[in-house]
Amino acid sequence: MEVKNKYVSIKANINGAPEESDFEIKVENLSLTVEPESKVVVVKNLFVSIDPYQINRMKSQSSSQTSISYATAITPGEVIDTYGVGRVLVSHRPDFKKGDLVAGLLTWGEYTVVKEGSLLNKLDPSLAFPLSYHVGVFGFSGLAAYGGFFEVCKPKPGEKVFVSAASGSIGHLVGQYAKSLGCYVVGSDGSQEKVNFLKETLGFDDAFNYKQETDLKSALKRCFPQGIDVYFDNVGGKMLEAAVANMNSFSRVTICGVISEYTNASTRAASDVKDIVYKRIRIQGFLAADFMPVYADFLSKTVEYLQDGKLKTMEDISQGVDSIPSAFIGLFNGDNIGKKIVKVADE
């Protein structure tokens, strides 16, 4: 038996800002016949993640491509792997049965053939949340927010926390984790709508539209007259420079992403290194996969926060494989609030 598998690929390497013309929708015949001794699992994709880091995999060359298996280069014409949720269609493995709901490395397509050794886990049926949550708040975005904030920043109650791209898939969770700890939290974003969302819906103490600020250092000085203790950086560039200039002694900067630099290398940060030295600022980058050892704690606490109303998760869901290129491009235009997800098929 065969099915038609529609999937997204890139036509060639992308070394600048992505455009619709860089992508193509392809269709292949996919066999659902799996030999009894085979360890592959055929999954029908339901929800797939759309993440800005994928642009680094699409480049002809990037230092990130050799850092970890999840960041390896994408070959033009081939299917693109991503985190997602699906339902098992075919499996002869004892740990996966037909009909099981699973989360792991799937593809920007309608079906995935998951090889033995690839990340794939059965979902806990006792978690009474939408399936899409397993792509966002319970997935790598949530893990990055939780691990980056609690494990890397090591925050203390009452500290002053700054979050850039604060309405994005990770930032909107970090700010709420910080508020739940009793921190003073300020976010930056690129529209008044997002600023209002941060303050009115998520409870940030303050927020500002960086596009309306002529001097980012002065904007942060206004929001943090007593300085910044923790900066959760999602953008890099000029915002990182401005934050370092306003950091307190023994403050911490955790770098989750540098979206301002992904499509324009000329925006790289040039922070005052004397500030870093004399203020003894600790700056650390991380990958979500670093926190897999604390995943059980992360999931337990995040479920508790959601159930208690301490945490709201926002999702921006597009429909169908054909919407994947525009959803991805929208990330670099600031189109989304919360986690960007594509619903591939009905549950």
Side-chain angles (χ1 to χ4, degrees), residues 112-124:
T112 305
V113 178
V114 182
K115 298 179 182 179
E116 185 180 19
S118 295
L119 178 65
L120 193 69
N121 295 297
K122 281 201 290 189
L123 297 184
D124 183 351

Side-chain angles (χ1 to χ4, degrees), residues 4-8 25-28 108-110 321-322:
K4 297 288 187 181
N5 180 34
K6 183 189 293 186
Y7 66 94
V8 175
I25 307 296
K26 305 180 77 171
V27 179
E28 65 177 355
W108 277 0
E110 294 178 320
V321 167
D322 296 277

Side-chain angles (χ1 to χ4, degrees), residues 120-292:
L120 193 69
N121 295 297
K122 281 201 290 189
L123 297 184
D124 183 351
S126 68
L127 291 178
F129 293 98
L131 281 182
S132 56
Y133 278 29
H134 294 276
V135 180
V137 68
F138 298 149
F140 280 163
S141 294
L143 184 60
Y146 179 90
F149 185 62
F150 290 110
E151 298 293 318
V152 178
C153 294
K154 303 291 186 184
K156 304 177 186 68
E159 286 194 311
K160 295 170 284 293
V161 176
F162 174 47
V163 185
S164 56
S167 73
S169 62
I170 296 171
H172 86 285
L173 300 174
V174 172
Q176 293 179 85
Y177 283 136
K179 286 300 298 178
S180 71
L181 189 65
C183 296
Y184 174 81
V185 183
V186 176
S188 67
D189 231 305
S191 73
Q192 190 59 44
E193 175 194 7
K194 292 181 178 181
V195 167
N196 293 342
F197 166 75
L198 294 173
K199 294 195 291 186
E200 297 169 8
T201 302
L202 300 187
F204 280 52
D205 294 288
D206 203 354
F208 65 91
N209 179 355
Y210 70 88
K211 292 181 180 178
Q212 294 183 342
E213 300 291 344
T214 57
D215 185 335
L216 292 176
K217 292 181 182 179
S218 296
L220 287 174
K221 181 67 175 178
R222 180 181 74 237
C223 295
F224 294 97
Q226 295 180 315
I228 301 168
D229 298 309
V230 171
Y231 172 36
F232 196 102
D233 185 16
N234 290 299
V235 301
K238 296 295 183 182
M239 192 65 78
L240 177 58
E241 291 180 24
V244 166
N246 283 277
M247 303 297 289
N248 290 326
S249 295
F250 300 103
S251 54
R252 290 85 70 205
V253 177
T254 182
I255 301 181
C256 176
V258 286
I259 194 169
S260 71
E261 302 179 23
Y262 288 166
T263 58
N264 186 353
S266 67
T267 61
R268 288 176 181 168
S271 301
D272 189 334
V273 179
K274 292 193 301 296
D275 279 342
I276 298 171
V277 172
Y278 284 94
K279 294 180 182 178
R280 286 83 96 203
I281 300 171
R282 178 166 59 83
I283 301 177
Q284 181 177 338
F286 71 88
L287 299 173
D290 297 341
F291 308 119
M292 291 305 291

